[in-house]
Amino acid sequence: QSEIKSDSQSNNFENLILIQALEMFYYWVTFAPLTRGTAACGYAAFYAILLSNGYMLSNVLPKDKQLDWEAILQQNCDDFINKVITWFHLKKCDINIDSYNDAIDSINTYKNMIQILSLVKPLN
């Protein structure tokens, strides 16, 4: 991490969160490409790290860029982060997570658990 350079990020905490999210993404897609959908799980982890720290992206990836291929084609994690970190701009998350119910309140039976896992809409 000490070799990571980022002139585009002024806030050290935001920069640290972004670097950690990119590291997780890099290691996920480079060490775990066992099945189709691996990159999708990496993207989910990337966004989860940002959201869990109260941030979200304020922009989209540049046209014709795929973050997973950028990770796969780099020699190491630092090279990957240095190449892509300027693509991302964070903003404070405008989603108030406290306004949502806890999962345990909504998923309280085995039927509800299976419905959630199967992406089936409840009948009631």
Side-chain angles (χ1 to χ4, degrees):
Q1 274 186 0
S2 60
E3 296 179 31
I4 303 297
K5 304 176 287 286
S6 175
D7 296 331
S8 68
Q9 301 291 328
S10 59
N11 184 307
N12 287 337
F13 183 71
E14 287 180 9
N15 196 39
L16 178 63
I17 298 305
L18 183 56
I19 289 170
Q20 289 177 342
L22 288 169
E23 282 179 350
M24 179 63 167
F25 183 87
Y26 174 84
Y27 289 117
W28 185 267
V29 299
T30 57
F31 290 140
L34 302 176
T35 64
R36 292 181 51 108
T38 297
C41 293
Y43 279 110
F46 174 76
Y47 287 108
I49 291 169
L50 296 179
L51 289 172
S52 68
N53 285 283
Y55 291 94
M56 57 192 301
L57 294 178
S58 63
N59 64 313
V60 296
L61 284 174
K63 184 175 170 49
D64 298 327
K65 299 291 183 181
Q66 293 184 9
L67 200 56
D68 54 328
W69 280 104
E70 296 297 336
I72 291 166
L73 296 173
Q74 294 303 312
Q75 291 289 323
N76 57 54
C77 186
D78 287 347
D79 290 349
F80 164 69
I81 293 173
N82 282 322
K83 180 170 185 171
V84 303
I85 197 164
T86 58
W87 297 356
F88 299 99
H89 304 285
L90 300 183
K91 67 178 183 177
K92 287 300 261 176
C93 186
D94 55 6
I95 299 170
N96 182 4
I97 198 162
D98 294 329
S99 66
Y100 292 96
N101 294 334
D102 289 336
I104 195 70
D105 295 335
S106 302
I107 309 169
N108 51 9
T109 67
Y110 288 120
K111 178 182 177 182
N112 293 139
M113 291 178 201
I114 292 169
Q115 287 174 327
I116 293 295
L117 292 174
S118 303
L119 298 175
V120 174
K121 191 172 185 178
L123 298 174
N124 45 3

